[in-house]
Amino acid sequence: MPAIHDWFANYPFACLEQKTSKAVGLRDAKLWQSMAAQLPTYLDRDGLVNYFPPRDGEASRGSDALTAYLLATTHEAASINPVFALTDEQRAPMERGLTAFVEGRIQRNFWSPRKDLDVRKLAAIEALSRYGKAQGRMLGSITIAPNQWPTHAVIDWLNILKRLNDVPDRDKRMAEANQILRSRISYQGPKMVFSPEKDDYRWWLKQNGDVNTARLILAVIDDPAWKDDMGRLANGFISRQQNGAWHTTTANLWGGLALEKFSAKFEAVPVA
């Protein structure tokens, strides 16, 4: 994927999200290790990460959404190459911070164009579930209404259900989540889109249609029920590119991971 590599190589900005996305997106182990070594300077007193090292008076301004993104993307990248894994020591304060946020022991009331606390909690639980740090009881403060959620939250919900065995009516809820995701997919020629694409654009949470498509591929890549759909999903995702890349750091990171995993699973054997 040379165009994605070039997109990241030429990317000039440098907040924590951008630097992390660039290092992992380039699969640059040295750059990532340098970034990971700086992580403690980005943490607030609750263990949540800031976009820039906090200054005086910003002790409780770390972002739950950014913390969840960092934990989720590095976990996904580490499943391809372990060099991108966070150490237990690096993860521990972030896991504690997200757990406290989900349980309501700390709050992060940032401005947003619409109410987003439930979907932010879902993202936090999804990230924690990757490391065995989530429990079904954490969902107690969330109104479970997947039909009303943006697509990224439904994908988080599906991933949570896949990993947590103690969620009531788990199998029924998984079937519902899969049905909702299928019902939102449509195609404009080869290009795949989600039916509420405009509503799915939530820039303040680093979410958009490109990210959703990549994360859907990653979420269902091992599900036999989706096997016959995977080729069209991947082709529809690639068709969302412009000049060989997507529009944002988050989309190019998730997208590179999704296509790399897709290729390893479905394109490992040469065509005969």
Side-chain angles (χ1 to χ4, degrees):
M1 294 174 283
I4 297 174
H5 182 280
D6 291 347
W7 192 95
F8 274 123
N10 295 321
Y11 190 79
F13 304 108
C15 75
L16 177 65
E17 178 268 304
Q18 293 159 340
K19 289 164 72 173
T20 297
S21 298
K22 182 172 182 175
V24 181
L26 288 171
R27 306 295 190 272
D28 188 325
K30 277 190 175 180
L31 186 60
W32 164 245
Q33 288 165 355
S34 172
M35 183 65 247
Q38 300 171 39
L39 276 176
T41 67
Y42 286 83
L43 299 181
D44 71 7
R45 66 185 177 192
D46 297 313
L48 300 180
V49 293
N50 290 267
Y51 287 89
F52 297 95
R55 298 169 295 185
D56 292 342
E58 296 178 338
S60 298
R61 295 289 294 172
S63 166
D64 55 277
L66 178 58
T67 306
Y69 172 78
L70 185 64
L71 289 176
T73 52
T74 53
H75 176 269
E76 202 71 57
S79 68
I80 297 173
N81 185 341
V83 74
F84 296 106
L86 291 166
T87 67
D88 293 345
E89 184 179 3
Q90 289 167 336
R91 289 198 329 266
M94 290 186 274
E95 291 168 347
R96 289 193 296 269
L98 285 185
T99 299
F101 167 71
V102 169
E103 294 177 347
R105 290 183 280 114
I106 63 173
Q107 295 182 350
R108 291 296 184 271
N109 297 315
F110 302 117
W111 177 89
S112 63
R114 62 194 76 179
K115 292 183 179 180
D116 61 5
L117 183 58
D118 277 2
V119 299
R120 285 164 55 202
K121 285 188 175 184
L122 281 168
I125 296 170
E126 195 274 343
L128 290 168
S129 72
R130 292 171 176 269
Y131 300 96
K133 302 296 183 180
Q135 299 176 342
R137 62 176 179 77
M138 289 178 165
L139 297 162
S141 64
I142 298 172
T143 301
I144 306 300
N147 267 311
Q148 300 172 28
W149 291 338
T151 301
H152 73 87
V154 184
I155 296 169
D156 283 334
W157 177 229
L158 178 61
N159 283 336
I160 291 166
L161 292 169
K162 285 162 55 181
R163 299 182 188 121
L164 300 187
N165 295 321
D166 60 341
V167 178
D169 299 320
R170 176 173 172 259
D171 291 342
K172 179 181 176 182
R173 292 183 183 278
M174 284 182 69
E176 178 190 38
N178 277 297
Q179 189 277 326
I180 290 170
L181 290 168
R182 285 186 180 278
S183 71
R184 294 186 182 185
I185 294 172
S186 61
Y187 291 88
Q188 298 174 356
K191 179 182 176 181
M192 178 189 152
V193 297
F194 289 98
S195 54
E197 189 103 357
K198 185 176 180 181
D199 185 57
D200 283 340
Y201 179 55
R202 308 215 171 187
W203 52 267
W204 67 99
L205 298 176
K206 294 169 287 300
Q207 305 291 346
N208 57 53
D210 294 337
V211 171
N212 289 341
T213 312
R215 293 189 63 230
L216 175 63
I217 291 171
L218 290 166
V220 302
I221 196 168
D222 293 319
D223 186 341
W226 285 82
K227 182 179 179 181
D228 292 342
D229 301 278
M230 293 308 300
R232 197 176 186 195
L233 288 178
N235 188 52
F237 179 44
I238 292 169
S239 296
R240 297 179 63 99
Q241 292 179 331
Q242 291 189 1
N243 300 317
W246 297 278
H247 295 290
T248 62
T249 51
T250 54
N252 281 296
L253 176 52
W254 281 117
L257 294 170
L259 292 185
E260 191 167 345
K261 283 200 166 185
F262 176 89
S263 181
K265 186 172 181 68
F266 295 107
E267 300 177 330
V269 179
V271 175

Short mmCIF file of all heavy atoms in Angstrom, two decimals, residues 77-138:
data_model
loop_
_atom_site.label_atom_id
_atom_site.label_comp_id
_atom_site.label_asym_id
_atom_site.label_seq_id
_atom_site.Cartn_x
_atom_site.Cartn_y
_atom_site.Cartn_z
N ALA A 77 -2.80 -3.55 15.91
CA ALA A 77 -1.51 -3.60 15.23
C ALA A 77 -0.61 -4.69 15.81
O ALA A 77 0.13 -5.36 15.08
CB ALA A 77 -0.82 -2.25 15.31
N ALA A 78 -0.67 -4.87 17.13
CA ALA A 78 0.18 -5.87 17.78
C ALA A 78 -0.21 -7.29 17.37
O ALA A 78 0.62 -8.20 17.44
CB ALA A 78 0.10 -5.71 19.29
N SER A 79 -1.46 -7.49 16.94
CA SER A 79 -1.86 -8.82 16.47
C SER A 79 -1.20 -9.15 15.13
O SER A 79 -1.16 -10.32 14.73
CB SER A 79 -3.39 -8.90 16.34
OG SER A 79 -3.87 -8.08 15.29
N ILE A 80 -0.69 -8.14 14.44
CA ILE A 80 0.06 -8.33 13.19
C ILE A 80 1.55 -8.38 13.47
O ILE A 80 2.28 -9.22 12.96
CB ILE A 80 -0.27 -7.21 12.18
CG1 ILE A 80 -1.76 -7.25 11.79
CG2 ILE A 80 0.61 -7.32 10.94
CD1 ILE A 80 -2.20 -6.09 10.94
N ASN A 81 2.02 -7.44 14.32
CA ASN A 81 3.43 -7.38 14.69
C ASN A 81 3.52 -6.98 16.16
O ASN A 81 3.18 -5.86 16.53
CB ASN A 81 4.17 -6.36 13.83
CG ASN A 81 5.67 -6.35 14.09
OD1 ASN A 81 6.14 -6.84 15.13
ND2 ASN A 81 6.43 -5.79 13.16
N PRO A 82 3.97 -7.88 17.04
CA PRO A 82 3.99 -7.62 18.49
C PRO A 82 4.80 -6.40 18.91
O PRO A 82 4.65 -5.92 20.03
CB PRO A 82 4.60 -8.90 19.07
CG PRO A 82 4.35 -9.96 18.05
CD PRO A 82 4.42 -9.25 16.73
N VAL A 83 5.64 -5.87 18.03
CA VAL A 83 6.46 -4.73 18.39
C VAL A 83 5.60 -3.51 18.71
O VAL A 83 6.03 -2.60 19.44
CB VAL A 83 7.47 -4.40 17.27
CG1 VAL A 83 6.79 -3.76 16.07
CG2 VAL A 83 8.58 -3.49 17.79
N PHE A 84 4.35 -3.48 18.21
CA PHE A 84 3.48 -2.33 18.43
C PHE A 84 2.60 -2.46 19.67
O PHE A 84 1.73 -1.62 19.90
CB PHE A 84 2.63 -2.08 17.19
CG PHE A 84 3.44 -1.71 15.99
CD1 PHE A 84 3.63 -2.61 14.95
CD2 PHE A 84 4.06 -0.47 15.90
CE1 PHE A 84 4.41 -2.28 13.85
CE2 PHE A 84 4.84 -0.14 14.81
CZ PHE A 84 5.01 -1.05 13.78
N ALA A 85 2.81 -3.49 20.46
CA ALA A 85 2.04 -3.67 21.69
C ALA A 85 2.51 -2.69 22.75
O ALA A 85 3.70 -2.39 22.87
CB ALA A 85 2.19 -5.10 22.19
N LEU A 86 1.57 -2.20 23.53
CA LEU A 86 1.90 -1.44 24.74
C LEU A 86 2.26 -2.43 25.84
O LEU A 86 1.68 -3.51 25.95
CB LEU A 86 0.70 -0.59 25.18
CG LEU A 86 0.33 0.58 24.27
CD1 LEU A 86 -1.05 1.11 24.63
CD2 LEU A 86 1.36 1.70 24.39
N THR A 87 3.20 -2.06 26.68
CA THR A 87 3.55 -2.91 27.81
C THR A 87 2.46 -2.83 28.87
O THR A 87 1.65 -1.90 28.89
CB THR A 87 4.88 -2.49 28.42
OG1 THR A 87 4.73 -1.18 29.03
CG2 THR A 87 6.00 -2.44 27.38
N ASP A 88 2.46 -3.81 29.77
CA ASP A 88 1.50 -3.78 30.88
C ASP A 88 1.63 -2.49 31.68
O ASP A 88 0.63 -1.90 32.10
CB ASP A 88 1.72 -4.99 31.80
CG ASP A 88 1.38 -6.31 31.13
OD1 ASP A 88 0.71 -6.28 30.08
OD2 ASP A 88 1.78 -7.36 31.66
N GLU A 89 2.87 -2.07 31.88
CA GLU A 89 3.12 -0.86 32.66
C GLU A 89 2.57 0.37 31.95
O GLU A 89 2.03 1.29 32.59
CB GLU A 89 4.62 -0.71 32.90
CG GLU A 89 4.99 0.48 33.78
CD GLU A 89 6.49 0.58 34.01
OE1 GLU A 89 7.25 -0.23 33.43
OE2 GLU A 89 6.91 1.47 34.77
N GLN A 90 2.71 0.42 30.64
CA GLN A 90 2.19 1.56 29.88
C GLN A 90 0.66 1.56 29.86
O GLN A 90 0.03 2.62 29.92
CB GLN A 90 2.73 1.51 28.45
CG GLN A 90 4.22 1.83 28.34
CD GLN A 90 4.78 1.46 26.98
OE1 GLN A 90 4.25 0.59 26.27
NE2 GLN A 90 5.87 2.13 26.58
N ARG A 91 0.08 0.38 29.77
CA ARG A 91 -1.39 0.29 29.67
C ARG A 91 -2.10 0.52 30.99
O ARG A 91 -3.21 1.06 31.02
CB ARG A 91 -1.80 -1.09 29.16
CG ARG A 91 -1.52 -1.39 27.73
CD ARG A 91 -2.36 -2.57 27.25
NE ARG A 91 -2.65 -3.56 28.27
CZ ARG A 91 -1.94 -4.66 28.50
NH1 ARG A 91 -0.85 -4.89 27.77
NH2 ARG A 91 -2.30 -5.52 29.43
N ALA A 92 -1.49 0.11 32.09
CA ALA A 92 -2.20 0.05 33.37
C ALA A 92 -2.88 1.37 33.74
O ALA A 92 -4.07 1.37 34.09
CB ALA A 92 -1.25 -0.40 34.48
N PRO A 93 -2.21 2.53 33.72
CA PRO A 93 -2.91 3.76 34.10
C PRO A 93 -4.04 4.12 33.14
O PRO A 93 -5.08 4.64 33.57
CB PRO A 93 -1.80 4.82 34.08
CG PRO A 93 -0.70 4.26 33.25
CD PRO A 93 -0.77 2.79 33.43
N MET A 94 -3.87 3.82 31.85
CA MET A 94 -4.93 4.10 30.89
C MET A 94 -6.14 3.20 31.13
O MET A 94 -7.30 3.64 31.05
CB MET A 94 -4.41 3.93 29.46
CG MET A 94 -3.41 5.01 29.06
SD MET A 94 -2.93 4.91 27.32
CE MET A 94 -1.59 3.74 27.43
N GLU A 95 -5.88 1.94 31.45
CA GLU A 95 -6.99 1.02 31.76
C GLU A 95 -7.73 1.47 33.02
O GLU A 95 -8.96 1.44 33.06
CB GLU A 95 -6.43 -0.39 31.94
CG GLU A 95 -5.93 -1.01 30.65
CD GLU A 95 -5.13 -2.29 30.88
OE1 GLU A 95 -4.76 -2.56 32.04
OE2 GLU A 95 -4.88 -3.01 29.90
N ARG A 96 -6.99 1.92 34.02
CA ARG A 96 -7.64 2.41 35.24
C ARG A 96 -8.47 3.66 34.94
O ARG A 96 -9.58 3.82 35.46
CB ARG A 96 -6.59 2.71 36.32
CG ARG A 96 -5.93 1.46 36.91
CD ARG A 96 -5.16 1.81 38.18
NE ARG A 96 -4.04 2.70 37.92
CZ ARG A 96 -2.81 2.30 37.66
NH1 ARG A 96 -2.53 0.99 37.61
NH2 ARG A 96 -1.82 3.16 37.45
N GLY A 97 -7.93 4.53 34.11
CA GLY A 97 -8.64 5.75 33.77
C GLY A 97 -9.93 5.46 33.02
O GLY A 97 -10.99 6.04 33.32
N LEU A 98 -9.88 4.58 32.03
CA LEU A 98 -11.09 4.24 31.28
C LEU A 98 -12.11 3.53 32.15
O LEU A 98 -13.32 3.77 32.03
CB LEU A 98 -10.74 3.36 30.07
CG LEU A 98 -10.09 4.06 28.88
CD1 LEU A 98 -9.92 3.07 27.72
CD2 LEU A 98 -10.90 5.25 28.40
N THR A 99 -11.64 2.66 33.05
CA THR A 99 -12.56 1.97 33.95
C THR A 99 -13.27 2.97 34.86
O THR A 99 -14.49 2.90 35.05
CB THR A 99 -11.80 0.93 34.80
OG1 THR A 99 -11.19 -0.03 33.93
CG2 THR A 99 -12.74 0.22 35.76
N ALA A 100 -12.52 3.93 35.39
CA ALA A 100 -13.13 4.95 36.24
C ALA A 100 -14.12 5.80 35.46
O ALA A 100 -15.18 6.18 35.97
CB ALA A 100 -12.04 5.83 36.85
N PHE A 101 -13.82 6.09 34.20
CA PHE A 101 -14.73 6.86 33.36
C PHE A 101 -16.02 6.09 33.11
O PHE A 101 -17.13 6.63 33.26
CB PHE A 101 -14.05 7.20 32.04
CG PHE A 101 -14.98 7.71 30.98
CD1 PHE A 101 -15.53 8.99 31.08
CD2 PHE A 101 -15.31 6.93 29.88
CE1 PHE A 101 -16.41 9.46 30.12
CE2 PHE A 101 -16.17 7.40 28.90
CZ PHE A 101 -16.72 8.67 29.03
N VAL A 102 -15.91 4.82 32.76
CA VAL A 102 -17.09 4.00 32.48
C VAL A 102 -17.96 3.87 33.73
O VAL A 102 -19.20 3.92 33.65
CB VAL A 102 -16.67 2.60 31.96
CG1 VAL A 102 -17.86 1.65 31.94
CG2 VAL A 102 -16.05 2.71 30.58
N GLU A 103 -17.33 3.72 34.87
CA GLU A 103 -18.06 3.52 36.12
C GLU A 103 -18.55 4.82 36.75
O GLU A 103 -19.20 4.81 37.79
CB GLU A 103 -17.19 2.76 37.12
CG GLU A 103 -16.88 1.32 36.65
CD GLU A 103 -15.95 0.57 37.59
OE1 GLU A 103 -15.34 1.24 38.47
OE2 GLU A 103 -15.84 -0.65 37.43
N GLY A 104 -18.23 5.95 36.14
CA GLY A 104 -18.73 7.24 36.61
C GLY A 104 -17.96 7.82 37.77
O GLY A 104 -18.38 8.83 38.35
N ARG A 105 -16.80 7.26 38.08
CA ARG A 105 -16.01 7.80 39.19
C ARG A 105 -15.23 9.04 38.76
O ARG A 105 -14.81 9.83 39.61
CB ARG A 105 -15.06 6.73 39.72
CG ARG A 105 -15.81 5.61 40.46
CD ARG A 105 -14.87 4.59 41.06
NE ARG A 105 -14.40 3.63 40.06
CZ ARG A 105 -13.16 3.50 39.64
NH1 ARG A 105 -12.22 4.31 40.14
NH2 ARG A 105 -12.82 2.59 38.75
N ILE A 106 -15.01 9.19 37.46
CA ILE A 106 -14.47 10.45 36.92
C ILE A 106 -15.34 10.84 35.73
O ILE A 106 -16.02 10.00 35.13
CB ILE A 106 -12.99 10.32 36.48
CG1 ILE A 106 -12.84 9.31 35.34
CG2 ILE A 106 -12.11 9.95 37.66
CD1 ILE A 106 -11.44 9.27 34.74
N GLN A 107 -15.33 12.10 35.39
CA GLN A 107 -16.12 12.60 34.27
C GLN A 107 -15.24 13.40 33.32
O GLN A 107 -14.25 14.00 33.73
CB GLN A 107 -17.28 13.47 34.77
CG GLN A 107 -18.30 12.73 35.60
CD GLN A 107 -19.45 13.63 36.01
OE1 GLN A 107 -19.40 14.84 35.85
NE2 GLN A 107 -20.50 13.02 36.54
N ARG A 108 -15.63 13.38 32.07
CA ARG A 108 -15.00 14.22 31.06
C ARG A 108 -16.11 14.87 30.25
O ARG A 108 -16.71 14.23 29.39
CB ARG A 108 -14.07 13.40 30.14
CG ARG A 108 -12.82 12.87 30.84
CD ARG A 108 -11.92 14.01 31.31
NE ARG A 108 -10.69 13.54 31.91
CZ ARG A 108 -10.54 13.26 33.19
NH1 ARG A 108 -11.57 13.40 34.03
NH2 ARG A 108 -9.38 12.87 33.66
N ASN A 109 -16.39 16.10 30.58
CA ASN A 109 -17.51 16.81 29.94
C ASN A 109 -16.97 17.80 28.92
O ASN A 109 -16.87 18.99 29.17
CB ASN A 109 -18.35 17.53 31.00
CG ASN A 109 -18.99 16.55 31.97
OD1 ASN A 109 -19.54 15.53 31.56
ND2 ASN A 109 -18.91 16.84 33.27
N PHE A 110 -16.60 17.28 27.75
CA PHE A 110 -16.10 18.13 26.68
C PHE A 110 -17.27 18.59 25.81
O PHE A 110 -18.29 17.93 25.70
CB PHE A 110 -15.10 17.36 25.81
CG PHE A 110 -13.91 16.84 26.59
CD1 PHE A 110 -13.67 15.48 26.69
CD2 PHE A 110 -13.04 17.71 27.22
CE1 PHE A 110 -12.58 15.00 27.39
CE2 PHE A 110 -11.94 17.25 27.92
CZ PHE A 110 -11.72 15.88 28.01
N TRP A 111 -17.07 19.74 25.16
CA TRP A 111 -18.09 20.19 24.22
C TRP A 111 -18.21 19.20 23.06
O TRP A 111 -17.23 18.63 22.60
CB TRP A 111 -17.69 21.56 23.64
CG TRP A 111 -18.68 22.03 22.60
CD1 TRP A 111 -19.80 22.76 22.81
CD2 TRP A 111 -18.63 21.75 21.19
NE1 TRP A 111 -20.46 22.97 21.62
CE2 TRP A 111 -19.76 22.36 20.61
CE3 TRP A 111 -17.75 21.05 20.38
CZ2 TRP A 111 -20.03 22.30 19.24
CZ3 TRP A 111 -18.02 20.97 19.01
CH2 TRP A 111 -19.14 21.60 18.46
N SER A 112 -19.42 18.97 22.62
CA SER A 112 -19.66 18.15 21.43
C SER A 112 -20.96 18.61 20.79
O SER A 112 -21.85 19.14 21.48
CB SER A 112 -19.73 16.66 21.78
OG SER A 112 -20.83 16.40 22.63
N PRO A 113 -21.12 18.42 19.48
CA PRO A 113 -22.32 18.88 18.79
C PRO A 113 -23.59 18.15 19.21
O PRO A 113 -24.69 18.64 18.97
CB PRO A 113 -22.01 18.61 17.30
CG PRO A 113 -20.53 18.48 17.23
CD PRO A 113 -20.11 17.90 18.55
N ARG A 114 -23.44 16.95 19.81
CA ARG A 114 -24.61 16.19 20.26
C ARG A 114 -24.20 15.33 21.44
O ARG A 114 -23.02 15.13 21.70
CB ARG A 114 -25.17 15.33 19.13
CG ARG A 114 -24.21 14.28 18.62
CD ARG A 114 -24.66 13.69 17.29
NE ARG A 114 -24.40 14.61 16.21
CZ ARG A 114 -24.69 14.35 14.96
NH1 ARG A 114 -25.28 13.22 14.63
NH2 ARG A 114 -24.40 15.21 14.00
N LYS A 115 -25.16 14.81 22.15
CA LYS A 115 -24.87 13.98 23.31
C LYS A 115 -24.13 12.72 22.86
O LYS A 115 -24.51 12.08 21.89
CB LYS A 115 -26.17 13.61 24.03
CG LYS A 115 -26.86 14.79 24.70
CD LYS A 115 -28.11 14.35 25.45
CE LYS A 115 -28.77 15.53 26.15
NZ LYS A 115 -30.00 15.12 26.88
N ASP A 116 -23.08 12.38 23.60
CA ASP A 116 -22.26 11.26 23.15
C ASP A 116 -21.73 10.39 24.28
O ASP A 116 -20.86 9.55 24.05
CB ASP A 116 -21.08 11.78 22.32
CG ASP A 116 -20.16 12.71 23.10
OD1 ASP A 116 -20.36 12.89 24.32
OD2 ASP A 116 -19.23 13.28 22.50
N LEU A 117 -22.24 10.58 25.50
CA LEU A 117 -21.66 9.86 26.64
C LEU A 117 -21.79 8.35 26.48
O LEU A 117 -20.82 7.61 26.73
CB LEU A 117 -22.31 10.30 27.95
CG LEU A 117 -21.74 9.66 29.23
CD1 LEU A 117 -20.25 9.96 29.36
CD2 LEU A 117 -22.49 10.16 30.46
N ASP A 118 -22.95 7.86 26.05
CA ASP A 118 -23.12 6.41 25.91
C ASP A 118 -22.16 5.82 24.89
O ASP A 118 -21.55 4.77 25.14
CB ASP A 118 -24.57 6.08 25.52
CG ASP A 118 -25.51 6.05 26.72
OD1 ASP A 118 -25.05 6.32 27.84
OD2 ASP A 118 -26.71 5.75 26.53
N VAL A 119 -22.01 6.48 23.75
CA VAL A 119 -21.12 5.90 22.72
C VAL A 119 -19.66 6.03 23.13
O VAL A 119 -18.84 5.19 22.76
CB VAL A 119 -21.38 6.52 21.33
CG1 VAL A 119 -22.81 6.24 20.89
CG2 VAL A 119 -21.08 8.00 21.29
N ARG A 120 -19.32 7.06 23.90
CA ARG A 120 -17.95 7.16 24.42
C ARG A 120 -17.68 6.03 25.42
O ARG A 120 -16.59 5.44 25.43
CB ARG A 120 -17.74 8.52 25.07
CG ARG A 120 -17.58 9.66 24.06
CD ARG A 120 -17.77 11.01 24.72
NE ARG A 120 -16.89 11.19 25.85
CZ ARG A 120 -17.13 12.07 26.84
NH1 ARG A 120 -18.23 12.84 26.82
NH2 ARG A 120 -16.27 12.21 27.83
N LYS A 121 -18.66 5.72 26.25
CA LYS A 121 -18.49 4.60 27.19
C LYS A 121 -18.36 3.28 26.45
O LYS A 121 -17.57 2.42 26.84
CB LYS A 121 -19.66 4.56 28.18
CG LYS A 121 -19.59 5.64 29.25
CD LYS A 121 -20.67 5.42 30.30
CE LYS A 121 -20.55 6.43 31.44
NZ LYS A 121 -21.54 6.17 32.52
N LEU A 122 -19.14 3.10 25.39
CA LEU A 122 -19.01 1.88 24.60
C LEU A 122 -17.61 1.73 24.03
O LEU A 122 -17.02 0.65 24.05
CB LEU A 122 -20.04 1.88 23.46
CG LEU A 122 -21.48 1.51 23.83
CD1 LEU A 122 -22.41 1.84 22.66
CD2 LEU A 122 -21.58 0.03 24.19
N ALA A 123 -17.06 2.83 23.50
CA ALA A 123 -15.70 2.79 22.95
C ALA A 123 -14.69 2.43 24.04
O ALA A 123 -13.74 1.66 23.80
CB ALA A 123 -15.34 4.12 22.32
N ALA A 124 -14.89 2.96 25.24
CA ALA A 124 -13.99 2.66 26.35
C ALA A 124 -14.08 1.19 26.75
O ALA A 124 -13.06 0.51 26.96
CB ALA A 124 -14.31 3.55 27.54
N ILE A 125 -15.31 0.66 26.82
CA ILE A 125 -15.49 -0.74 27.19
C ILE A 125 -14.91 -1.65 26.11
O ILE A 125 -14.28 -2.68 26.40
CB ILE A 125 -16.99 -1.05 27.43
CG1 ILE A 125 -17.50 -0.26 28.63
CG2 ILE A 125 -17.20 -2.55 27.66
CD1 ILE A 125 -19.01 -0.30 28.79
N GLU A 126 -15.11 -1.28 24.84
CA GLU A 126 -14.55 -2.08 23.75
C GLU A 126 -13.03 -2.15 23.86
O GLU A 126 -12.43 -3.22 23.70
CB GLU A 126 -14.95 -1.47 22.40
CG GLU A 126 -14.74 -2.41 21.21
CD GLU A 126 -13.34 -2.37 20.63
OE1 GLU A 126 -12.59 -1.41 20.90
OE2 GLU A 126 -12.97 -3.31 19.89
N ALA A 127 -12.39 -1.01 24.13
CA ALA A 127 -10.93 -1.00 24.28
C ALA A 127 -10.50 -1.86 25.47
O ALA A 127 -9.55 -2.65 25.37
CB ALA A 127 -10.43 0.43 24.45
N LEU A 128 -11.19 -1.74 26.59
CA LEU A 128 -10.86 -2.54 27.76
C LEU A 128 -11.07 -4.03 27.51
O LEU A 128 -10.31 -4.87 28.01
CB LEU A 128 -11.71 -2.09 28.95
CG LEU A 128 -11.38 -0.70 29.53
CD1 LEU A 128 -12.48 -0.26 30.50
CD2 LEU A 128 -10.03 -0.71 30.23
N SER A 129 -12.09 -4.37 26.71
CA SER A 129 -12.39 -5.78 26.46
C SER A 129 -11.27 -6.47 25.69
O SER A 129 -11.11 -7.69 25.75
CB SER A 129 -13.71 -5.92 25.69
OG SER A 129 -13.59 -5.50 24.34
N ARG A 130 -10.48 -5.70 24.97
CA ARG A 130 -9.36 -6.27 24.22
C ARG A 130 -8.28 -6.83 25.15
O ARG A 130 -7.48 -7.69 24.74
CB ARG A 130 -8.75 -5.21 23.31
CG ARG A 130 -9.66 -4.77 22.16
CD ARG A 130 -9.09 -3.57 21.42
NE ARG A 130 -9.90 -3.22 20.27
CZ ARG A 130 -9.72 -3.68 19.03
NH1 ARG A 130 -8.73 -4.52 18.80
NH2 ARG A 130 -10.51 -3.32 18.05
N TYR A 131 -8.24 -6.34 26.38
CA TYR A 131 -7.20 -6.73 27.33
C TYR A 131 -7.76 -7.50 28.52
O TYR A 131 -7.09 -7.65 29.53
CB TYR A 131 -6.47 -5.48 27.81
CG TYR A 131 -5.81 -4.70 26.70
CD1 TYR A 131 -6.44 -3.61 26.10
CD2 TYR A 131 -4.55 -5.06 26.21
CE1 TYR A 131 -5.85 -2.91 25.06
CE2 TYR A 131 -3.94 -4.36 25.18
CZ TYR A 131 -4.60 -3.29 24.61
OH TYR A 131 -4.01 -2.59 23.58
N GLY A 132 -9.01 -7.95 28.40
CA GLY A 132 -9.62 -8.70 29.50
C GLY A 132 -9.97 -7.84 30.70
O GLY A 132 -10.11 -8.37 31.82
N LYS A 133 -10.14 -6.53 30.50
CA LYS A 133 -10.39 -5.62 31.61
C LYS A 133 -11.85 -5.13 31.66
O LYS A 133 -12.17 -4.24 32.46
CB LYS A 133 -9.47 -4.40 31.52
CG LYS A 133 -7.98 -4.74 31.52
CD LYS A 133 -7.55 -5.37 32.84
CE LYS A 133 -6.04 -5.63 32.85
NZ LYS A 133 -5.60 -6.25 34.13
N ALA A 134 -12.72 -5.69 30.83
CA ALA A 134 -14.12 -5.27 30.81
C ALA A 134 -15.00 -6.37 31.39
O ALA A 134 -14.68 -7.56 31.31
CB ALA A 134 -14.56 -4.94 29.39
N GLN A 135 -16.13 -5.95 31.95
CA GLN A 135 -17.13 -6.87 32.49
C GLN A 135 -18.51 -6.41 32.06
O GLN A 135 -18.75 -5.22 31.83
CB GLN A 135 -17.05 -6.92 34.03
CG GLN A 135 -15.71 -7.41 34.56
CD GLN A 135 -15.65 -7.35 36.08
OE1 GLN A 135 -16.44 -6.66 36.72
NE2 GLN A 135 -14.71 -8.08 36.66
N GLY A 136 -19.42 -7.35 31.96
CA GLY A 136 -20.77 -7.03 31.53
C GLY A 136 -21.45 -5.99 32.38
O GLY A 136 -22.25 -5.18 31.87
N ARG A 137 -21.13 -5.96 33.67
CA ARG A 137 -21.77 -5.00 34.56
C ARG A 137 -21.45 -3.56 34.18
O ARG A 137 -22.18 -2.62 34.55
CB ARG A 137 -21.36 -5.25 36.01
CG ARG A 137 -19.87 -5.09 36.28
CD ARG A 137 -19.53 -5.24 37.75
NE ARG A 137 -18.10 -5.10 37.97
CZ ARG A 137 -17.44 -3.95 38.00
NH1 ARG A 137 -18.11 -2.81 37.79
NH2 ARG A 137 -16.14 -3.91 38.22
N MET A 138 -20.36 -3.35 33.44
CA MET A 138 -19.99 -1.99 33.03
C MET A 138 -21.03 -1.37 32.11
O MET A 138 -21.08 -0.15 31.95
CB MET A 138 -18.64 -2.01 32.31
CG MET A 138 -17.45 -2.29 33.22
SD MET A 138 -15.92 -2.32 32.25
CE MET A 138 -14.68 -2.22 33.55
#
